[in-house]
Amino acid sequence: MEKHSARAKRRFALGLLTAALLCGQQLFSQAFAEQLEAFPKDDIFFTNTDAQFILKIPKVSPSDVQTELPNFPDGAIFNSSKKSDYIDNDGIAGTEVDLWFTFRQTGSYAFPPLAVYVKGRRQPVKFKPVEVYENPRTILPRMIVAFDDGETISADAKKTPTITLESDKAARFTVYLQYALQAQQFAWNIPKDSLFVEVKRYAEMNKSRRSSDFSTEKIPVASFEWTPFADGVTTLPEIKMMATAYSGRSVYLSTPECVVTIVPQKKDAKAGAPSQEESAYAYAWSEAADGAKAKKASGSTPFDCAEIAQLRSLERRSFFNLRKVRAERIAAERAVGIQSSENEANYCLFFIIIGANGLLLLLALVFALCKKRFEAAVIAVAALGMVFFSALAANVVLKRYGVLVGGEISPIPEDSAITKSAVNGGSRVQIKEEVQGWYYIVYNENGGWIKKENIAIIK
């Protein structure tokens, strides 16, 4: 009886030991599997290039390791794999498994677990998820507009985005550049029926980068404050940029397409709106009026402004007495308080350039008919240069200008506009548009509407 009892105790103890060993082995295998993960060699992968994953198994020789590949998602193509020995910094040896893929499409990839057999025991090993981007040799820079309220507009949107803004309420946004080495040029046009101010220009846009240092980081270019005044449907203000792509190519960028709906501001917000004298629109014009470039005197009369416009018209058409007419115009402006202003483009000089261009083309044709090819080629090149200068001159001469007689600048071509700014006469302004008794003018980078009778046209 005692022998039977002792035998049962030994069997029970042996069973407990076996169970403990199996449990320990299972826990060890689970912990061993959890610490194994196939890591991407690079932080960023690109389409149509080799992408490498690395799996390191410590304290195991390559002969004891076998792998079984899962089914990979569409767009990921398995190329090859290799096993090799490795020794880490602590002197511990193991097996390194390298796997190479090619990605045909951009996007996020999460592979199924890799089946790894270590000394015959199967261990599922996870792949670290990766993001695949377009190849830098083909990817193009893009402009991103991010509003302070979190709305982001970019050109790669699947459908045209839409946003809603309130009239007479400032909306701030920042322009970013992505997938580019450098921003070469940056400019913007003043939108109509609104106040548009550049708040900050960032230095990061001009920093040169190497083509090997690819980054998905968005580079801030400039921040703006936009206050639309007219209700309705419009687009984002036109912002233009020239950027250098990673391929070295210069790419022209413009504001992403977006439908902007301007709605009336809420009544409670309007109740606290600044008065006409305190409004940002009035401030922008009053600040321009006090600028050193054109100091307007309050004592100028409509007759003085009409005389200045007439002298400027003569300045455009004079040739032999151009210097005299220009001196008279400057004296008339200084009499009303304008100390500095731009000269008028001269029509006579423009026509001389056009005539010289025609003469060069005629000479090139004559030499060509006389079979003097070298002389004809030289004159033809000179003629092409004159064509370029003619185009530049035409761009200056054909712009329409006038002289402010006085009056009020309005954000919209209506007498009922809430926000207006009074201006003094005598200053030269550019006329951009004409609508039913109103001119849209630009002066000192500010735009607005003014009645026709308050502008003396420079002819």
Side-chain angles (χ1 to χ4, degrees), residues 340-387:
S340 177
S341 62
E342 296 180 357
N343 295 327
E344 290 296 327
N346 191 269
Y347 284 125
C348 296
L349 294 176
F350 173 67
F351 290 129
I352 289 174
I353 293 175
I354 295 295
N357 188 29
L359 180 61
L360 287 174
L361 290 174
L362 181 61
L363 285 175
L365 179 61
V366 170
F367 278 112
L369 293 175
C370 294
K371 296 183 180 181
K372 295 183 178 181
R373 297 180 179 178
F374 177 77
E375 291 81 355
V378 172
I379 295 176
V381 171
L384 290 176
M386 291 297 293
V387 168

Side-chain angles (χ1 to χ4, degrees), residues 253-325:
L253 301 175
S254 59
T255 313
E257 186 177 354
C258 178
V259 177
V260 183
T261 303
I262 310 298
V263 298
Q265 191 177 162
K266 297 178 182 178
K267 291 183 179 180
D268 55 346
K270 280 190 174 182
S275 63
Q276 175 179 340
E277 291 75 18
E278 297 172 345
S279 68
Y281 187 78
Y283 173 76
W285 275 94
S286 62
E287 186 181 55
D290 295 334
K293 188 175 181 181
K295 298 180 180 178
K296 293 181 279 290
S298 59
S300 61
T301 65
F303 177 79
D304 296 329
C305 300
E307 182 183 3
I308 293 173
Q310 184 178 4
L311 289 172
R312 283 190 169 273
S313 299
L314 287 174
E315 186 179 349
R316 282 197 164 203
R317 290 169 168 76
S318 300
F319 183 67
F320 294 106
N321 59 342
L322 174 60
R323 184 174 298 179
K324 179 182 177 182
V325 173

